[in-house]
Amino acid sequence: MRGAAEARPPELQRRNDKGTASRRRPAAGPLDTSDHAGAPAHATGPAHAIGSAPVHPEGVRATARLRATHNGRTTTVPLLHSDGPFHLRRLRPRGERARVRVLGAMSAPLGGDGLALDVTAEARTRLEATTAAATIALRGSTADPATYDVRLTAGEDASLHWLPQPLISAYGSTPHQTYPRVELAGSARLLLREEQLLGRSTEPPGRPTTRLTVRRDGRPILDQYTDLGAGAGAGAGAGAGAGAGAPAWDGPAVLGGHRTTGQLLLIALGLHAPPEPVLLGDPLRGHCVLAPLADSAALLTTAVAPTPAQLRRLLDAALAQVPHAGTSP
């Protein structure tokens, strides 16, 4: 992940005998409890517990946490725990909504890393969390996959917006991005955006996989898995299965020749949503489908496009089809 400032602190990078960059895991950031005295510290979990695959011994293991609470008047953020490549910063509130931005303290995720971000919006809170820049997944010194878990929790009458910048899967990378725990109370509201770019300019794609699991009021309402990209090829150092790639990932039934894909998930009570799926765009410039889920409070938009800018326009256009979706709490 790269933050707003691209310069990397010298203590986060060292050179080995071959002149290639390697990294040291920095100490966990300070626990910020300025708004709430006595907030408990959370230690990073064991290496094998992070992500959906074992973490390579040379990989970075980090878990960052933020928690929003309501103090009786407004939303505050008493817990900001930075760790590894994640540096959490408060932004100026927007109305009643508290805002937090995730900055990148070093290049991540690389192959073998195990990263996690835990975001909690307690009852009655209004919270928006985003990233400062696109996250670039690189192969690193090992062909092992990098795991990046995002855990979201929203309490009763809470509103949580998770709106990160795109994940770029560079050639040779195998990032596993998962939402293993999206837990929503029955009256909670969620706006979640996920965007992926397969490969940087003129380079072949990596092999990203994603898993999104959402539970509302204790019941599962969405469990989705995607596997995209051709992998690193069959050459030396390619991970298991990388040469074959994901079956038909670039065919007309999946990406249709496009290199960006994304989705927008909206969950809220009282949605005035179209009763049937809505198709927007066209095959050349990108298109998306806005579809209601079995849970009447949930809408899912899935889009593909040739560029990230066109993808974002499609997702925004789909959100505009739902009255007051972008302005309600």
Side-chain angles (χ1 to χ4, degrees):
M1 177 183 295
R2 297 183 184 271
E6 292 294 329
R8 293 172 61 189
E11 66 270 20
L12 298 182
Q13 176 174 320
R14 66 178 186 267
R15 299 280 172 176
N16 59 24
D17 294 338
K18 297 181 180 179
T20 57
S22 59
R23 301 172 302 162
R24 294 182 299 186
R25 178 174 181 263
L31 186 66
D32 186 340
T33 59
S34 56
D35 293 338
H36 182 70
H42 294 271
T44 300
H48 64 272
I50 300 176
S52 55
V55 178
H56 192 274
E58 296 182 2
V60 171
R61 294 167 293 279
T63 300
R65 294 178 173 88
L66 69 98
R67 177 171 55 86
T69 190
H70 197 276
N71 64 5
R73 302 182 306 275
T74 188
T75 299
T76 63
V77 185
L79 176 63
L80 284 179
H81 177 66
S82 300
D83 193 13
F86 301 118
H87 186 70
L88 309 182
R89 286 280 186 89
R90 290 183 181 87
L91 300 179
R92 185 184 300 274
R94 182 175 293 154
E96 296 183 357
R97 189 172 298 279
R99 300 164 65 218
V100 174
R101 178 167 292 170
V102 183
L103 304 177
M106 62 183 181
S107 294
L110 303 185
D113 287 352
L115 310 177
L117 182 62
D118 201 328
V119 180
T120 299
E122 295 184 350
R124 300 170 56 201
T125 58
R126 304 290 182 263
L127 175 65
E128 176 184 311
T130 185
T131 58
T135 298
I136 303 179
L138 301 170
R139 181 181 185 277
S141 60
T142 173
D144 288 0
T147 61
Y148 179 17
D149 292 347
V150 180
R151 306 159 190 161
L152 306 176
T153 305
E156 292 291 348
D157 194 33
S159 174
L160 174 58
H161 291 186
W162 171 241
L163 304 172
Q165 298 300 320
L167 170 68
I168 302 173
S169 181
Y171 177 66
S173 67
T174 53
H176 295 342
Q177 181 174 9
T178 68
Y179 294 82
R181 191 191 71 214
V182 180
E183 292 283 352
L184 308 175
S187 58
R189 185 181 191 275
L190 174 71
L191 180 62
L192 181 152
R193 184 180 67 216
E194 181 185 46
E195 299 168 319
Q196 297 178 12
L197 172 60
L198 278 75
R200 294 167 294 188
S201 178
T202 71
E203 77 174 359
R207 177 77 183 274
T209 60
T210 66
R211 180 76 178 266
L212 174 60
T213 305
V214 182
R215 295 171 61 88
R216 177 173 174 266
D217 204 18
R219 298 181 295 107
I221 64 172
L222 180 64
D223 191 346
Q224 177 177 278
Y225 175 80
T226 61
D227 186 355
L228 302 171
W249 69 274
D250 202 20
V254 188
L255 293 188
H258 296 301
R259 283 297 181 270
T260 63
T261 180
Q263 58 187 359
L264 194 69
L265 176 64
L266 176 62
I267 300 175
L269 292 175
L271 285 178
H272 299 287
E276 300 293 334
V278 176
L279 176 65
L280 302 174
D282 61 76
L284 292 180
R285 291 177 294 179
H287 49 187
C288 72
V289 174
L290 170 67
L293 299 183
D295 189 312
S296 60
L299 284 171
L300 178 66
T301 298
T302 304
V304 295
T307 67
Q310 289 170 300
L311 181 74
R312 182 67 60 85
R313 283 195 291 268
L314 282 169
L315 295 177
D316 290 344
L319 189 63
Q321 299 289 314
V322 186
H324 310 298
T327 57
S328 56

